[in-house]
Amino acid sequence: MSKVVKAKYTAEAVAGFTHRTAMEEAARCLLCHDAPCSQGCPAGTDPAKFIRSIRFRNVKGAAETIRENNILGGSCARVCPYDRLCEEACSRCGIDKPIQIGKLQRYAIEQEKVFKMKILKAPAKKKAAKVACVGAGPASLAAAAELAKAGYRVTIFEREEKAGGVLTYGIVPSRLPQAVVDHDIAQVKGLGVKFEFGKEVKAADLEEYDAVFVGTGLWGANLPKIEGIELAGVYSAVDFLKAARTQKNAFDPGKKVLVVGGGDVAVDCAVTAKLLGAEDVKIVYRRTLEEAPGNMTEFQYALTLGIGITTGMAPAAIKGADKVEAVEFKGFRDEAAQLVLSADTIVFATGQTAEDQTAVAPVKVADKGLIKAPKGKAGGKFFAAGDIVNGGKTVVEAVAAGKEAADAMIAYLEKKGVK
Amino acid sequence: MAIKKDLSVNYLGVKCQNPFFLSSSPVGGNYDMVRKCYETGWAGCFFKTVGIFVADECSPRFDQTNKEGLPWLGFKNMEQISDKPTEQNFEYIYRLVRDYPEHVTVATIMGSSEEEWKQLAKMCDEAGVPLIEGNFSCPQMTSHDMGSDVGTNNELVEKYARAVTSVTDIPFIAKMTPNCKNMEEHARAAIKGGAAAVSAINTIKSITNLDFENMTAMPVVNGKSSISGYSGAAVKPIALRFCTQVQQDEEIHKLVKEKGFDFGYGHEMSGIGGIETWRDAAEFLAVGCRTVQVTTAIMQYGYRIVEDMISGLSHFMDERGFDNLDQFIGCALPNIIPAEELNRDFRLLPKFDDKKCVGCGRCYVSCYDAAHQAIDWNEKKRRPELNDNCVGCHLCLNVCPVQGCITPGEIQWKEGREPVDVKFKKEYI
């Protein structure tokens, strides 16, 4: 019998580096010329530079490189799919295995906190233009930070009580502790960015602003139209993860939990259920594991917790009197395949949908309600980026897109002559 | 079956099971420690230096240097000679000699006057040790009448060696300090005074690290620190240099013969300095040392390292077809020659294996910034390309992180020079 990992919901699953182990890992780095890892980061975090700083005993310099390039450096260090970004590009793969870039980034940002560093500073003299960001998720935070660094006065509107978006209300805290998210957000606040929480923005609220960034993300549930979808015990991933993160250990996920989906969000839901006390948790994905968009290391972590993974089956009907009792699955490609599983809870981690963005701002909306914003430009004084534009990708890509949109906003404001 | 080879050596007329000894230091400071080291496989022990002077030590007293996360590259200690009463030390030594006749318990002594040296030598005689070592080399004594201050003064070295050998017939080994201009003259002085041989090196005067909390060196003793001895892997190159120079000194071999201490091997050096593995030990043997002594690696890893020294050296001998160590000892000495005698007629160009190359570009960076801009960087392929500027310095080969990627290639003769058969190293690991 395999040894199954027992963990706490709020405890970080992976231990970080100490100074010594960080140095050992940094010593493995080949210190490449024109390093492929740095080319592999969408947000331009520049791992080659910060690893070299760690190697040459300049951890504060390492933290500066990360923070200056990636305002969410702490969070990205935890949730980035390194194995298909910088670590995949690592030259050391040609010898044995890549440098653990994510863990080194985490170490540097942890030291930033230890040394109480305040790396980013906004100019004392503010520009006249006022900028609003709608939503306090990764794209908005990245855009706001860039704008504040350039001297603009930025206000972020957020309908929830806390900033962070998916970082705060989505991802399981064992993968991304709230303290890490809060530390990243404190850097944005430190730049003088104002936050207005509990505020559902309407177009009229944005009139006084010279430029507006829309980074509202995807928060609409994507539930299939199948029998029993209205029963108690049926959750969208968004609602399930948010309930867990806000109620923490008070949240009862049910004893038998099924999670439908094949992405990192599906794994987060399954891990959340398991860590909050569910006895039997299974991930059911309609395609093969090879086709699954989720990170393999996350699936592996789920397995170490004793979570089962079943592929090739899609949900067909949910059975129960007034709450979920069982779920019927049919083969997605295999017509002969049939499966019935008893369950208290079924979570659909099958993607999120856009809410009505035209209610927020006069933006052009494309398929599935996504905002059309090439290079961040959504028309006139409106800009957008992140999941609401790209349909739901990684945090680091949202940061990259938020930075790009901020550059477009600065160019727009300068051209318009708002000083 | 584990390999068994005859590793025994005759050292100054004393039969040793193998060439591996503890050097005079905290690793061999009482009966139980030495008992354990013998049971682990060490042939002998140079017991922690005994004096009439009993050391009063500071705390803490150690520091270490490291590089890229690799600890104990070098090690600094501020300990002096034994802090136990002289009589107690000789009682340990006596019992060790009595209880372990197959092992070689050497008494290492240090006096601060002729009288003290004589007194200590007599005590060695009474304890029945087969060999005596005189410590002329500890660089951190609290008295200038002892240690490396004595070891760099030929008159004192000769005088104290004579004092010892005037009261005992036990062969006397003078332990030399590297804190000198050249060791040979001090070694000659010791042998003139009656020493049968020298051992080297003791530790190098050092400051390993500065502590910015207290603005002093390491280790910090009540806010202050002192210069003291450096040892460990970092000093091996320096130790090998001294051992080679002593063993290449014809005068020393001649003096030994004249004094009647030639047991058939000329001057019998005992090599010390940064030995951790069988390979390090074999290097000292190759430059003519008959025994080797170890402390720092034991401080880091314990006595058990001798197991792999014995096994590793046995496998090496087996590979090379040596039946005993005498076939091997000193065989590198003729090939270490003055720089002016090296053949300078050719360039040995590096060869790049594009399939093994991982495209890190380290060879390009080092060649450009520190050598001859002889490597062009193919950005598209991420591969180095050698151009005509190459002088064959092999900096690229030394920085390449991939085993077997950059190797010696073509031999290019300088214009007008006569081609000859060139011997070069082919295997780098």
Side-chain angles (χ1 to χ4, degrees), chain A residues 249-296:
Chain A
N249 291 318
F251 179 68
D252 177 11
K255 283 199 172 68
K256 290 180 184 161
V257 180
L258 299 175
V259 179
V260 177
D264 288 344
V265 177
V267 178
D268 273 348
C269 291
V271 169
T272 295
K274 189 73 190 172
L275 298 185
L276 285 175
E279 284 164 13
D280 186 3
V281 181
K282 292 186 185 78
I283 295 171
V284 185
Y285 179 51
R286 59 186 180 158
R287 298 178 198 270
T288 63
L289 207 50
E290 211 178 340
E291 293 163 280
N295 193 332
M296 193 53 91

Coordinates of all heavy atoms in Angstrom, one line a residue, chain A residues 249-296:
Chain A
N249 N -12.0 25.9 7.4 CA -12.3 24.5 7.9 C -13.8 24.4 8.3 O -14.3 23.2 8.5 CB -11.5 24.3 9.1 CG -10.0 24.1 8.7 OD1 -9.7 23.4 7.7 ND2 -9.1 24.7 9.4
A250 N -14.6 25.5 8.3 CA -16.0 25.3 8.6 C -16.8 24.8 7.4 O -17.9 24.4 7.5 CB -16.6 26.7 9.0
F251 N -16.2 24.8 6.2 CA -16.8 24.4 5.0 C -16.8 22.9 4.9 O -15.8 22.2 5.1 CB -16.1 25.0 3.8 CG -16.7 24.6 2.5 CD1 -18.0 25.0 2.1 CD2 -16.0 23.7 1.6 CE1 -18.6 24.6 0.9 CE2 -16.6 23.3 0.4 CZ -17.9 23.8 0.0
D252 N -18.1 22.3 4.7 CA -18.2 20.9 4.6 C -18.3 20.5 3.1 O -19.4 20.7 2.5 CB -19.4 20.4 5.4 CG -19.6 18.9 5.3 OD1 -18.7 18.2 4.7 OD2 -20.7 18.4 5.7
P253 N -17.3 19.8 2.6 CA -17.4 19.5 1.1 C -18.2 18.3 0.8 O -18.5 18.0 -0.3 CB -15.9 19.3 0.8 CG -15.3 18.8 2.1 CD -16.0 19.4 3.2
G254 N -18.7 17.6 1.9 CA -19.3 16.3 1.6 C -18.4 15.1 1.8 O -17.2 15.3 1.8
K255 N -18.9 13.9 1.9 CA -18.1 12.8 2.2 C -17.5 12.2 0.9 O -16.3 11.9 0.7 CB -18.8 11.6 2.9 CG -19.0 11.9 4.4 CD -19.3 10.6 5.1 CE -19.3 10.8 6.6 NZ -20.4 11.7 7.1
K256 N -18.4 12.1 -0.1 CA -18.0 11.6 -1.4 C -18.1 12.7 -2.4 O -19.2 13.2 -2.7 CB -18.9 10.4 -1.8 CG -18.7 9.2 -1.0 CD -19.6 8.1 -1.5 CE -19.5 6.8 -0.6 NZ -20.7 5.9 -0.7
V257 N -16.9 13.0 -3.0 CA -16.9 14.2 -3.8 C -16.4 13.8 -5.2 O -15.4 13.1 -5.4 CB -15.9 15.3 -3.3 CG1 -15.9 16.5 -4.2 CG2 -16.4 15.7 -1.9
L258 N -17.1 14.2 -6.2 CA -16.7 14.0 -7.6 C -16.3 15.4 -8.2 O -17.1 16.4 -8.0 CB -17.8 13.4 -8.5 CG -18.3 12.0 -8.0 CD1 -19.5 11.6 -8.9 CD2 -17.1 11.0 -8.1
V259 N -15.2 15.5 -8.9 CA -14.8 16.7 -9.6 C -14.7 16.4 -11.1 O -14.0 15.5 -11.5 CB -13.5 17.3 -9.1 CG1 -13.1 18.5 -9.8 CG2 -13.5 17.5 -7.6
V260 N -15.5 17.2 -11.8 CA -15.4 17.0 -13.3 C -14.5 18.0 -13.9 O -14.7 19.2 -13.7 CB -16.9 17.1 -13.9 CG1 -16.9 17.0 -15.4 CG2 -17.8 16.1 -13.2
G261 N -13.5 17.6 -14.7 CA -12.7 18.5 -15.4 C -11.2 18.0 -15.4 O -10.9 17.0 -14.7
G262 N -10.4 18.6 -16.2 CA -9.0 18.1 -16.3 C -8.0 19.2 -16.3 O -6.8 19.0 -16.7
G263 N -8.3 20.4 -15.7 CA -7.3 21.5 -15.5 C -6.9 21.6 -14.1 O -7.2 20.8 -13.2
D264 N -6.0 22.6 -13.9 CA -5.5 22.8 -12.5 C -6.6 23.1 -11.6 O -6.5 22.8 -10.4 CB -4.5 24.0 -12.6 CG -3.2 23.6 -13.2 OD1 -2.9 22.4 -13.4 OD2 -2.4 24.5 -13.5
V265 N -7.7 23.8 -12.1 CA -8.8 24.1 -11.2 C -9.5 22.9 -10.7 O -9.9 22.8 -9.6 CB -9.8 25.1 -12.0 CG1 -11.0 25.4 -11.1 CG2 -9.1 26.3 -12.4
A266 N -9.6 21.9 -11.6 CA -10.2 20.6 -11.2 C -9.4 20.0 -10.0 O -9.9 19.5 -9.0 CB -10.3 19.7 -12.4
V267 N -8.1 20.0 -10.2 CA -7.2 19.5 -9.2 C -7.3 20.3 -7.9 O -7.4 19.7 -6.8 CB -5.7 19.4 -9.6 CG1 -4.8 18.9 -8.5 CG2 -5.6 18.6 -10.9
D268 N -7.4 21.6 -8.0 CA -7.6 22.5 -6.8 C -8.9 22.1 -6.1 O -8.9 22.0 -4.9 CB -7.6 23.9 -7.2 CG -6.2 24.5 -7.3 OD1 -5.3 23.9 -6.8 OD2 -6.1 25.7 -7.8
C269 N -9.9 21.9 -6.8 CA -11.2 21.5 -6.2 C -11.1 20.2 -5.5 O -11.5 20.0 -4.3 CB -12.3 21.4 -7.3 SG -12.8 23.0 -8.0
A270 N -10.5 19.2 -6.1 CA -10.3 17.9 -5.5 C -9.4 17.9 -4.3 O -9.8 17.3 -3.3 CB -9.7 16.9 -6.6
V271 N -8.3 18.7 -4.4 CA -7.4 18.8 -3.2 C -8.1 19.5 -2.1 O -8.1 19.1 -0.9 CB -6.1 19.5 -3.7 CG1 -5.3 19.9 -2.4 CG2 -5.3 18.7 -4.6
T272 N -8.9 20.6 -2.4 CA -9.7 21.3 -1.4 C -10.6 20.3 -0.7 O -10.6 20.3 0.5 CB -10.5 22.4 -2.1 OG1 -9.6 23.4 -2.6 CG2 -11.4 23.1 -1.1
A273 N -11.4 19.5 -1.5 CA -12.3 18.6 -0.9 C -11.6 17.6 0.1 O -12.0 17.4 1.2 CB -13.1 17.9 -2.0
K274 N -10.5 17.1 -0.4 CA -9.7 16.1 0.4 C -9.2 16.7 1.6 O -9.3 16.1 2.7 CB -8.6 15.5 -0.5 CG -7.9 14.4 0.1 CD -8.7 13.1 0.0 CE -8.1 12.0 0.9 NZ -9.1 10.9 0.9
L275 N -8.6 17.9 1.5 CA -8.0 18.5 2.7 C -9.0 19.0 3.7 O -8.7 19.1 4.9 CB -7.0 19.7 2.3 CG -5.9 19.3 1.3 CD1 -5.0 20.6 1.1 CD2 -5.0 18.2 1.9
L276 N -10.2 19.2 3.2 CA -11.3 19.7 4.1 C -12.1 18.5 4.7 O -13.1 18.6 5.3 CB -12.2 20.7 3.5 CG -11.5 22.1 3.3 CD1 -12.5 23.0 2.6 CD2 -11.2 22.7 4.7
G277 N -11.6 17.3 4.4 CA -12.1 16.1 5.1 C -13.0 15.1 4.3 O -13.6 14.2 4.9
A278 N -13.1 15.3 3.0 CA -13.9 14.4 2.2 C -13.2 13.0 2.3 O -12.0 13.0 2.3 CB -14.0 14.9 0.8
E279 N -14.0 12.0 2.4 CA -13.4 10.6 2.5 C -12.9 10.1 1.2 O -11.9 9.5 1.1 CB -14.4 9.7 3.1 CG -14.5 9.9 4.6 CD -15.8 9.2 5.2 OE1 -16.4 8.4 4.5 OE2 -16.2 9.6 6.3
D280 N -13.8 10.3 0.1 CA -13.4 9.7 -1.2 C -13.6 10.8 -2.2 O -14.7 11.4 -2.4 CB -14.4 8.6 -1.4 CG -14.0 7.8 -2.7 OD1 -13.0 8.2 -3.4 OD2 -14.7 6.9 -3.1
V281 N -12.5 11.2 -2.9 CA -12.5 12.2 -3.9 C -12.0 11.6 -5.2 O -11.0 11.0 -5.2 CB -11.6 13.4 -3.5 CG1 -11.7 14.5 -4.5 CG2 -12.0 14.0 -2.1
K282 N -12.8 11.9 -6.3 CA -12.4 11.4 -7.6 C -12.5 12.6 -8.6 O -13.4 13.4 -8.6 CB -13.3 10.3 -8.1 CG -13.2 9.0 -7.3 CD -14.1 8.0 -8.0 CE -14.1 6.7 -7.2 NZ -15.1 6.7 -6.1
I283 N -11.5 12.6 -9.4 CA -11.5 13.5 -10.6 C -12.0 12.7 -11.8 O -11.4 11.6 -12.0 CB -10.1 14.2 -10.8 CG1 -9.7 15.0 -9.7 CG2 -10.1 15.0 -12.1 CD1 -8.2 15.5 -9.7
V284 N -13.0 13.2 -12.5 CA -13.4 12.5 -13.7 C -13.3 13.5 -14.9 O -13.8 14.6 -14.8 CB -14.9 12.0 -13.5 CG1 -15.3 11.2 -14.8 CG2 -15.1 11.2 -12.3
Y285 N -12.5 13.0 -15.8 CA -12.2 13.9 -17.0 C -12.6 13.2 -18.3 O -12.4 12.0 -18.4 CB -10.7 14.2 -17.0 CG -10.3 15.1 -18.2 CD1 -10.9 16.3 -18.5 CD2 -9.2 14.7 -19.0 CE1 -10.5 17.1 -19.5 CE2 -8.8 15.5 -20.0 CZ -9.5 16.7 -20.3 OH -9.1 17.5 -21.4
R286 N -13.2 13.9 -19.2 CA -13.8 13.2 -20.3 C -12.8 12.8 -21.4 O -13.0 11.8 -22.1 CB -14.9 14.1 -21.0 CG -14.3 15.4 -21.5 CD -15.4 16.3 -22.0 NE -14.8 17.6 -22.4 CZ -15.4 18.4 -23.3 NH1 -16.6 18.2 -23.8 NH2 -14.8 19.5 -23.6
R287 N -11.7 13.5 -21.4 CA -10.6 13.1 -22.4 C -9.5 12.3 -21.7 O -9.7 11.8 -20.6 CB -10.0 14.4 -23.0 CG -11.0 15.2 -23.8 CD -10.3 16.5 -24.4 NE -11.4 17.5 -24.7 CZ -11.9 17.5 -25.9 NH1 -11.6 16.7 -26.9 NH2 -12.8 18.5 -26.2
T288 N -8.4 12.1 -22.4 CA -7.3 11.4 -21.8 C -6.4 12.4 -20.9 O -6.5 13.6 -21.1 CB -6.4 10.8 -22.9 OG1 -5.8 11.9 -23.6 CG2 -7.1 9.9 -23.8
L289 N -5.6 11.8 -20.1 CA -4.7 12.6 -19.2 C -3.7 13.4 -20.1 O -3.3 14.5 -19.8 CB -4.0 11.7 -18.3 CG -3.5 12.3 -16.9 CD1 -4.7 13.0 -16.2 CD2 -3.0 11.2 -16.0
E290 N -3.4 12.7 -21.2 CA -2.5 13.4 -22.1 C -3.0 14.7 -22.7 O -2.3 15.6 -22.9 CB -2.2 12.4 -23.3 CG -0.9 12.5 -23.9 CD -0.8 11.4 -25.0 OE1 -1.5 10.4 -25.0 OE2 0.1 11.6 -25.9
E291 N -4.3 14.7 -22.8 CA -5.0 15.9 -23.4 C -5.4 16.9 -22.3 O -5.8 18.0 -22.6 CB -6.3 15.5 -24.2 CG -6.0 14.7 -25.4 CD -7.3 14.0 -25.9 OE1 -7.6 12.9 -25.3 OE2 -8.0 14.5 -26.8
A292 N -5.2 16.5 -21.1 CA -5.7 17.4 -20.0 C -4.8 18.7 -19.9 O -3.6 18.6 -20.1 CB -5.6 16.6 -18.7
P293 N -5.5 19.8 -19.8 CA -4.7 21.1 -19.7 C -4.0 21.3 -18.4 O -3.1 22.1 -18.3 CB -5.8 22.1 -19.9 CG -7.1 21.5 -19.5 CD -6.9 20.0 -19.7
G294 N -4.3 20.5 -17.4 CA -3.7 20.7 -16.1 C -2.2 20.3 -16.0 O -1.7 19.6 -16.9
N295 N -1.6 20.8 -15.0 CA -0.1 20.6 -14.8 C 0.1 19.2 -14.2 O -0.5 18.8 -13.2 CB 0.3 21.6 -13.8 CG 1.8 21.7 -13.8 OD1 2.5 20.7 -14.0 ND2 2.3 22.9 -13.5
M296 N 0.9 18.4 -14.8 CA 1.1 17.0 -14.4 C 1.6 16.9 -12.9 O 1.2 16.0 -12.2 CB 2.2 16.3 -15.3 CG 2.2 14.8 -15.1 SD 0.6 14.0 -15.3 CE 0.6 13.6 -17.0

